[in-house]
Amino acid sequence: MKPDLFQAPDYYQIDDLLSDEHKMVRDAARSWVKREVSPIIEEYAQRAEFPKQIIKGLADIGAFGPYIPQEYGGAGLDQISYGLIMQEIERGDSGVRSTASVQSSLVMYPIFKYGTEAQRKKYLPKLASGEFMGCFGLTEPDHGSNPGGMTTNFKEEGGYYVLNGAKLWISNAPFADIAVVWAKDASGRIHGLIVERGMEGFTTPETHNKWSLRASATGELIFDNVKVPKENLLPGKSGLGAPLGCLDSARFGIAWGAIGAAMDCYDTALRYAKERIQFDKPIGGTQLQQKKLAEMITEITKAQLLAWRLGVLRDQGKATSAQISMAKRNNVDMAIKIAREARQILGGMGITGEYSIMRHMMNLESVITYEGTHDIHLLITGMDITGISAFV
């Protein structure tokens, strides 16, 4: 088992922009990843299995709802702290970060923002501690980039809502205790409902044969006349804007997380380039390899500044959905390009599980697609700057 020698690049002294609390939170997450994730993640990725034993550790470092107030079990941290935690977890593995992102931004966030006080008290402390794990049901087999076309629906029947439909590509689904599910009422209006495992007609078959996010559990949500108590409806917001507000929070975390994956690929490639001898000198002394490494650190630095500024705006309540969209698209695109270049620096060794690069590269193929595809985010920016929608 190789030791985790990761050293985070900080070419523009961005640490100077962080508070002592930010650095303390980040360093705690970094140490935990080195100790608990790095030694096991290659084995779990090869087995296509999520390491459930790390759930408690994720809770302990505040990865579940870090910005949720302490009265509901959260850490009460700011948005930059949330971003830094996601950065460090994804430095370990995108699939593990996906688990934390879903729990925080797609399950705890909507319950906190759109739920009742009774719902907050019932679910949030258990989600923050990892006693409960959650998932988020929006994407359907026939409705991905167009979530408003969903067909999952519910109707009122006696003291219940009867839910029917299916969701696909759902992180955490196979082991989730609850699901925040988005469905249309009889009038076609979208609402969120909390569906609990054990409700009759609710099943979560696992998705197998993935080449990406192999250390993350992915599945479906199937609803066959599921009776959901009326008190499980999220009353605070309805319409497509409700789930999209959750996606804003998730995309913000991804914009930071992708930097972590890029950092790990860069750090691995830099160390290898200094140690790998060919033609009697390190390959890091050749112009072509230096070009790759110089471009990597430049792009990482730009992404760090973009994410930091977005974090400031989000903490001030000024960040727009379009700004978050730009950062998600840019930073994931940056990370996947760096992973590919880093793999080339390592040559044949880059495809082996002895190094993290190929795993990051495969993971990022999912990250560049979920929470809004690369192309959809371009259209969001285009619509924002022109005022004209090009979606249809």
Side-chain angles (χ1 to χ4, degrees), residues 143-174:
H143 298 94
S145 294
N146 176 29
M150 71 174 66
T151 58
T152 298
N153 65 91
F154 66 96
K155 60 184 178 180
E156 188 174 342
E157 234 178 65
Y160 295 89
Y161 295 121
V162 178
L163 178 67
N164 282 282
K167 303 293 184 177
L168 187 64
W169 304 122
I170 309 301
S171 294
N172 299 357

Side-chain angles (χ1 to χ4, degrees), residues 78-288:
D78 66 4
Q79 291 291 304
I80 290 177
S81 295
Y82 170 52
L84 288 166
I85 293 171
M86 295 302 104
Q87 172 187 285
E88 295 306 313
I89 295 174
E90 189 146 1
R91 204 280 298 178
D93 187 76
S94 300
V96 176
R97 196 270 308 143
S98 294
T99 295
S101 283
V102 168
Q103 184 87 336
S104 297
S105 292
L106 301 183
V107 181
M108 297 179 73
Y109 179 87
I111 292 173
F112 175 67
K113 293 290 286 187
Y114 312 145
T116 64
E117 186 65 12
Q119 289 168 344
R120 294 185 192 108
K121 289 180 177 178
K122 179 178 179 180
Y123 296 109
L124 291 178
K126 291 183 177 180
L127 289 163
S129 69
E131 180 183 347
F132 276 9
M133 294 299 294
C135 64
F136 177 86
L138 180 63
T139 299
E140 297 186 356
D142 295 322
H143 298 94
S145 294
N146 176 29
M150 71 174 66
T151 58
T152 298
N153 65 91
F154 66 96
K155 60 184 178 180
E156 188 174 342
E157 234 178 65
Y160 295 89
Y161 295 121
V162 178
L163 178 67
N164 282 282
K167 303 293 184 177
L168 187 64
W169 304 122
I170 309 301
S171 294
N172 299 357
F175 57 75
D177 300 286
I178 67 170
V180 174
V181 179
W182 301 93
K184 290 181 176 177
D185 65 14
S187 71
R189 185 74 176 174
I190 294 171
H191 297 266
L193 301 104
I194 302 171
V195 182
E196 300 180 17
R197 185 171 294 282
M199 290 181 175
E200 188 176 355
F202 175 42
T203 54
T204 59
E206 187 165 1
T207 302
H208 297 288
N209 298 322
K210 297 182 300 178
W211 287 111
S212 182
L213 297 182
R214 289 174 58 82
S216 175
T218 308
E220 302 173 56
L221 304 177
I222 308 295
F223 313 105
D224 182 10
N225 290 317
V226 180
K227 290 184 177 179
V228 182
K230 287 186 176 180
E231 61 265 26
N232 283 29
L233 182 83
L234 297 175
K237 189 175 178 66
S238 64
L240 189 58
L244 292 182
C246 305
L247 292 178
D248 274 353
S249 182
R251 290 165 177 171
F252 173 79
I254 291 169
W256 283 85
I259 297 171
M263 284 178 167
D264 196 58
C265 291
Y266 165 77
D267 182 65
T268 301
L270 177 62
R271 187 175 299 106
Y272 188 89
K274 290 178 178 180
E275 296 171 354
R276 174 66 168 168
I277 306 298
Q278 290 290 283
F279 305 105
D280 301 322
K281 71 174 185 178
I283 63 172
T286 64
Q287 290 184 5
L288 286 176

